[in-house]
Structures are given as structure tokens and as C-alpha cells.
Amino acid sequence: MSESNVADTLVRAFNLYKRFETTDDPADLDTAIDLARDCVRGSTPADPAFGNSLSVLASALQTRYERFGHLADVEESIAVGRSAVQAAGNMEAVAEELHNLGLGLQMRFERRNDRRDIDEAVHAAQAATEATAPDDDAYPLYVAMLSVALQTRFDRLGDAADLDAAIIAAENAAQRSPEDSPDRTVILSNFGSMLATRFRHRGDIKDLDRSVEVGRTVVGLAATLPRSAFVAGVWSNLGLRLVLRYEYTGELADLSESVEAARTAVGAVAADDPSRTTFLRNLALVLQIRFEQTRNARDIDGAVESARAVVAGLSPEHPEHGPALASLGLTLLTRYDGTRAANDVAEAVHRLRAAAAIPFGSPSQRTHVMALLSVALRRQYEHSGQAALLDEAVAAARSALQAAPADHPVVGILRYHLGLALADTYRATADTELLDIAIEEFRHASGTASTPTRYRLDAARAWGEWSARLRRWSAATDGYAAAVTLLPTAAWHGSARASRELLLTDWHGSAVDLAACAVAARRHDCAVSLLDSGRGVLWAQLLDIRTDLAAVRARAPQLADRLQMVGQELNRTDPWATTGPS
């Protein structure tokens, strides 16, 4: 192929590649790739068009990989990209090709999880940045690429230094990005996401505050853009960060703003856009969270409606169809707990049975669905009295427990719920063997150190109460004693004072019950000491003004923030009861 023919063919290839961005016609992209390959084969490294041919080919292959997911395309793009770096005639071209090579390596790393790919991607991005002057128009884009590569490596490998370096690079890119740059919205969006990630790992509220402010700036920039999944994504991200801050501070204004952001995200995409289900799922989540705080029926009704729309928008073959059914079941259960409407619990059971019938993507997914199904079946039994529901609830709870990793925090919760299902069955059948098994499950659950403390407390109390019903006074004493021993952990100083007072109010009679069982068991010394211990916990936690974090915060604010965040995580309820935001 002559030099002029190569040049003309390359122009055709580039034009078809760019036209694909508008037409989304695979034929345009396929032809562009074929023509670019002809240009590479028809030229030599000495020809001016050789490097450009490699560059167009590598970019087009990456685009086709992103569109259709064929690994061979990204493999070829990396090989072509390395050749393009070698063929680049000046530093500006070298930086551009290094940037493109880094993109391809990140794509392959996300597919194959090979550490060498992400290390090389970071190296390529660093080299592209170093080869570019800070006042060059491309500099912010290259620095942003470096920040994304570093965060990707942090996400998979957990080196905190990578996250810090990613945030520094992202902030640098944001500061150097011109106000009118089309890339500025993406650069700022990535910066805000990284700040939120660091907050989750370190608990410094300043990171989260700044992440929210950056998110607000991004949605302001996106206001001029047409409806798209990207615009919906920046609104959805802002909403999720506001929810995160609400969970940390309890500020209802953040929760209300998060709901409006989630609604805006849903409205920013067309009804037939495949990404719409993600934004509907997030809207259902924040509405349910607000309902649990305000008990406003409109919120839980909106959450149910959104969760139903998610299910309707996914084909039965879609990998998220099962989780979406489970989320709808949970939302219906939440509404049932407030309304006691039979149709809600019946639909919840129906949806969760359907989710359980779908092949599970992972053991954790099976655990999640079967645990929710067990709870829903027990709720339906309470409403209908159908004994067969209890047998199914016990079987579902056992299935969830079998699927859970032995050392996972959820194991204690699952044992507690299995005990509840067995105890309900005992009520219906008077089969004391089932109650013996239930009490044993409560005992194991109360002693599972990795389980959230509130569940351990509830399990210990159930151990004591059910043992007392059988007049097994010594066992009842042990159960109540385990509960009282856990009170200082549940009402620890890192929790909000109102939360401590509410928890201790719920447990105000436990020390007396404990003492009564100890007396009945003729463990008199134990009765006196445990009664004093239980009452001492109550008084110490309710009256001791030194239980807040003010003194710690005055000297080490970051430590106080982290302590508060750890406390919230330790006492978080139901790690399997909600599906996390996308």
C-alpha cells in the first residue's frame, strides 16, 4: 500500500470509528478496525502514518471491547499500544500512547485480576504525566487517569498509600482542569468518589464533607448536559454520599436531599435505558432508609414501587434479577411490619421463593436470600397460622446457615433466626426437642464474637427466657448472665447517648430476671453479684457524663471520628438484610 493510500485509508478508518460513537452501528466499528489493521500492515515504522495507524487501531479495539466484551480485542489493543509507544515520534505522542496503553491494561486487569497489569497501568499513567508539561491541555486528563489507576490498585490490593496518591492526583487534575473543559465533570466526579472511599476506610468526616461538596459541584456542571446514564450517575452518587453522611451524623436534611438526588437520577435516564434499574434500586434504598427514620408511609410505598420497577426492568436471565427479587421481598417485609397487610407478606414470600429458585451466583447470595425467606415465612405464619410455613422457615434458615462461611459475622444472626423459627415451631407443636435445639442455637449465637452485639444480646435473652419457660433455672441464669455481660459492649461510649439510653431502657428488667433465675437455681452468690453488675451497667451508662467522646475529640478529632464510625459498624444490624447501593 502506497503512503498516500495508507493516509487516505487511515482517514476513512478514523471517520468510521468516530461515526460509531453516534450510530452505535457495529459494522462501522468493525470496518474501522479492519481498515486500521490494513494501514499497519501496509506501512513501516519509517512511514509518518505508521504510529497514527497503531493509535487508531488500539483505540478502536478498546472501544469494541467496552461495547461487546471480547477479551481478544483488549489483548490485541495492549500489544498494539506497546508498539504505538515505541513508534511515537515525540514526547507529546509518547504521552498519548502511554495513556491509551494504560487504559487497555486497566481493562484487562479488571477482567483477569493479574497484578502485573495494574502495576504496568500505573507505571504507564505516571510516565504519561511526567512526559507532559503541567500547562498542556492534556495534562489534567493524564493525571486523572493516574488517579483512577491508583484507586483501582487500592480497591483490589488495599495499599493505603495508593489511595492517598490517587486523591492527590485527582485533586491536581481537578485544579488544572479548565472550567469549560468537557472532561472536568468526569474528573471531579472521580475525585469525589475517592474522597468517599477514604472516608469509609478511615472515618475522617472532613473527607465525606468534601466529597458531598464536590458531588454538588458535579451535579451543577451536569445540569447543562443532556439526559444520560452519566448524568444520572453523578446525581445517584451524590445521593449515596448524603446517605452515608446521614448514617454517620443523623442529620435528616442529608437524608431528604439524598432522596431528591436519587429521584433526579431516575428522571435523568430514558425509561428504556438499561442503567435505569440501578438508579431505581438506589432510590428504593434511600426511601426505605428514610421510612425507617420517619415512618412516613409515602416513603415505603415509593420504595416498594421502585423495587417493583427494578424487577420489571430486568429479564429473568439477567444476573441481577435474583438480587432484585430479594430486595423487593425485603422492602415488602419492611412495609408489612408497619401495616400488617396480608398481601404484603404474601408477596414478600412469593418474591423470595422466586429468588431462591434462581441459581445462586455465590454462597453469600444464597445466604442472603434464604435468610430473608426464613424471616418472611415466619411473618406469614404469624399472620395466617399455617404450620407448614414454619417447616419451610426452619429449612430456609438451615440452608442459609449451611451456605454461610463458618467465620462470617452473619453466622450468629442466622443461628438466632433459626432459633426463632424452631421456637415458633415448638409453640405450634409442643415438641420440646425442637425447643432444645432452639435454645442451643441461641446459646451459640450469643457467643459468636464477630456477630453484631445487638443480635448477641437478643440471642442471650432468648436463651434465658426459653430456658426459664422450661424451668431450667441454671441454664436460664447463664443466658441472662451472658446478656448482662454484653450490655457494656452494646451501650459503649462510641455510640450516641440517645442510642445508649434507648438500648438500656429496652433492657431495664434483665438484671431482675437474671437474679430471679439465679435464686431459683440456688445460685445465691451469683444472684447478688449479677444483680449488682446489671444495675451497675444501667446506672453507669445512663448517668456517667464522661461517656461521650468530647474529651477525645478535643485532643484527637480524627481518632474520635474513627471511634464513632467503628462503633456504628460494630452495632450495625442485619448485614444480610439489605442489598448495598450500586
Side-chain angles (χ1 to χ4, degrees):
M1 187 182 295
S2 69
E3 186 174 313
S4 61
N5 285 341
V6 169
D8 291 341
T9 304
L10 183 59
V11 169
R12 286 180 57 209
F14 181 77
N15 288 338
L16 285 166
Y17 166 53
K18 299 306 289 185
R19 190 169 77 177
F20 170 77
E21 296 176 358
T22 302
T23 64
D24 199 35
D25 183 353
D28 284 342
L29 190 56
D30 291 343
T31 304
I33 288 171
D34 289 340
L35 291 174
R37 284 182 180 137
D38 290 341
C39 291
V40 171
R41 287 192 292 263
S43 58
T44 67
D47 296 334
F50 181 71
N52 291 335
S53 300
L54 290 167
S55 181
V56 171
L57 176 57
S59 297
L61 286 164
Q62 287 177 8
T63 298
R64 190 165 70 177
Y65 170 75
E66 289 181 304
R67 180 68 173 79
F68 300 107
H70 301 306
L71 184 60
D73 281 339
V74 78
E75 297 273 10
E76 184 181 355
S77 81
I78 291 170
V80 171
R82 290 190 175 119
S83 298
V85 171
Q86 296 297 319
N90 54 58
M91 291 302 291
E92 181 179 352
V94 167
E96 182 178 357
E97 301 311 329
L98 284 167
H99 171 74
N100 291 336
L101 174 61
L103 287 173
L105 288 161
Q106 278 201 71
M107 291 174 187
R108 190 169 70 179
F109 173 73
E110 289 167 359
R111 181 74 171 264
R112 300 196 322 184
N113 202 28
D114 187 331
R115 168 71 184 267
R116 291 171 296 182
D117 281 340
I118 193 60
D119 286 344
E120 187 180 352
V122 169
H123 177 75
Q126 286 172 330
T129 301
E130 292 166 1
T132 307
D135 59 352
D136 191 294
D137 290 344
Y139 184 80
L141 184 61
Y142 296 163
V143 178
M145 168 67 187
L146 172 60
S147 71
V148 172
L150 286 164
Q151 184 181 17
T152 300
R153 190 164 70 179
F154 165 77
D155 289 341
R156 296 295 178 91
L157 304 175
D159 187 345
D162 277 341
L163 181 58
D164 289 337
I167 289 174
I168 291 171
E171 185 170 18
N172 185 13
Q175 289 172 345
R176 293 187 176 278
S177 177
E179 294 289 338
D180 58 350
S181 170
D183 298 320
R184 182 169 173 77
T185 305
V186 175
I187 290 171
L188 281 171
S189 182
N190 289 338
F191 178 40
S193 295
M194 291 175 193
L195 288 166
T197 297
R198 189 164 69 180
F199 167 76
R200 292 187 186 95
H201 284 268
R202 297 188 186 169
D204 187 344
I205 191 65
K206 291 190 291 296
D207 278 338
L208 184 54
D209 287 342
R210 194 171 184 198
S211 175
V212 168
E213 291 309 310
V214 170
R216 287 174 175 150
T217 300
V218 172
V219 298
L221 293 171
T224 61
L225 300 176
R227 294 171 70 197
S228 67
F230 172 75
V231 172
V234 299
W235 277 104
S236 186
N237 287 339
L238 173 60
L240 294 175
R241 290 174 209 163
L242 287 161
V243 166
L244 185 61
R245 191 165 71 175
Y246 159 74
E247 291 178 340
Y248 186 80
T249 66
E251 180 56 61
L252 284 175
D254 281 342
L255 187 54
S256 294
E257 188 181 350
S258 76
V259 170
E260 293 311 309
R263 284 198 175 112
T264 304
V266 172
V269 288
D272 59 351
D273 191 306
S275 68
R276 190 168 185 265
T277 54
T278 296
F279 306 121
L280 283 165
R281 184 184 301 119
N282 291 344
L283 175 58
L285 174 68
V286 297
L287 284 169
Q288 184 168 333
I289 291 171
R290 190 167 72 173
F291 168 75
E292 290 166 356
Q293 176 65 40
T294 65
R295 313 310 291 181
N296 187 322
R298 286 178 297 181
D299 283 339
I300 194 60
D301 289 345
V304 169
E305 181 183 353
S306 297
R308 282 198 181 115
V310 173
V311 172
L314 297 171
S315 69
E317 296 77 27
H318 195 284
E320 291 300 313
H321 185 65
L325 286 167
S327 294
L328 174 55
L330 171 62
T331 308
L332 288 161
L333 273 181
T334 302
R335 187 165 72 176
Y336 169 76
D337 286 341
T339 64
R340 296 294 165 180
N343 56 328
D344 278 343
V345 73
E347 185 182 355
V349 169
H350 170 71
R351 299 291 189 173
L352 289 164
R353 281 174 174 155
I358 296 173
F360 296 98
S362 66
S364 62
Q365 185 179 332
R366 179 177 181 81
T367 297
H368 173 87
V369 172
M370 300 308 293
L372 282 177
L373 177 57
S374 177
V375 173
L377 289 162
R378 284 182 49 242
R379 295 283 196 280
Q380 191 174 30
Y381 165 75
E382 291 167 3
H383 188 88
S384 68
Q386 298 176 26
L389 294 171
L390 288 178
D391 293 338
E392 189 180 352
V394 170
R398 283 179 169 148
S399 178
L401 191 56
Q402 289 171 357
D407 56 350
H408 196 281
V410 80
V411 168
I413 298 175
L414 296 173
R415 283 188 175 278
Y416 171 60
H417 281 293
L418 174 57
L420 292 176
L422 289 163
D424 284 346
T425 308
Y426 162 76
R427 281 197 186 101
T429 64
D431 185 341
T432 54
E433 289 186 8
L434 292 177
L435 187 55
D436 288 340
I437 299 172
I439 291 171
E440 189 66 9
E441 295 296 341
F442 293 141
R443 186 180 70 80
H444 279 296
S446 70
T448 305
S450 60
T451 296
T453 307
R454 185 57 194 257
Y455 274 98
R456 296 179 64 195
L457 267 170
D458 288 341
R461 177 161 56 183
W463 171 15
E465 287 179 352
W466 283 103
S467 295
R469 292 190 188 198
L470 294 178
R471 306 180 71 83
R472 297 174 182 172
W473 303 119
S474 187
T477 301
D478 291 339
Y480 280 120
V484 169
T485 302
L486 287 167
L487 277 175
T489 303
W492 82 308
H493 296 182
S495 301
R497 186 178 184 86
S499 298
R500 296 197 303 269
E501 291 176 350
L502 179 61
L503 183 144
L504 292 169
T505 299
D506 290 344
W507 281 82
H508 71 279
S510 299
V512 175
D513 292 338
L514 164 59
C517 291
V519 169
R522 300 183 181 278
R523 294 166 61 177
H524 301 104
D525 293 342
C526 178
V528 174
S529 62
L530 290 173
L531 180 61
D532 286 345
S533 175
R535 287 180 170 176
V537 168
L538 295 174
W539 282 106
Q541 296 296 336
L542 286 171
L543 300 180
D544 188 351
I545 63 171
R546 296 171 298 169
T547 57
D548 59 40
L549 294 173
V552 177
R553 195 176 302 282
R555 299 188 63 179
Q558 290 189 3
L559 177 60
D561 288 342
R562 184 60 179 162
L563 185 62
Q564 183 175 342
M565 187 178 183
V566 169
Q568 291 169 338
E569 290 298 319
L570 287 172
N571 289 306
R572 185 178 294 276
T573 58
D574 285 305
W576 49 266
T578 57
T579 52
S582 299

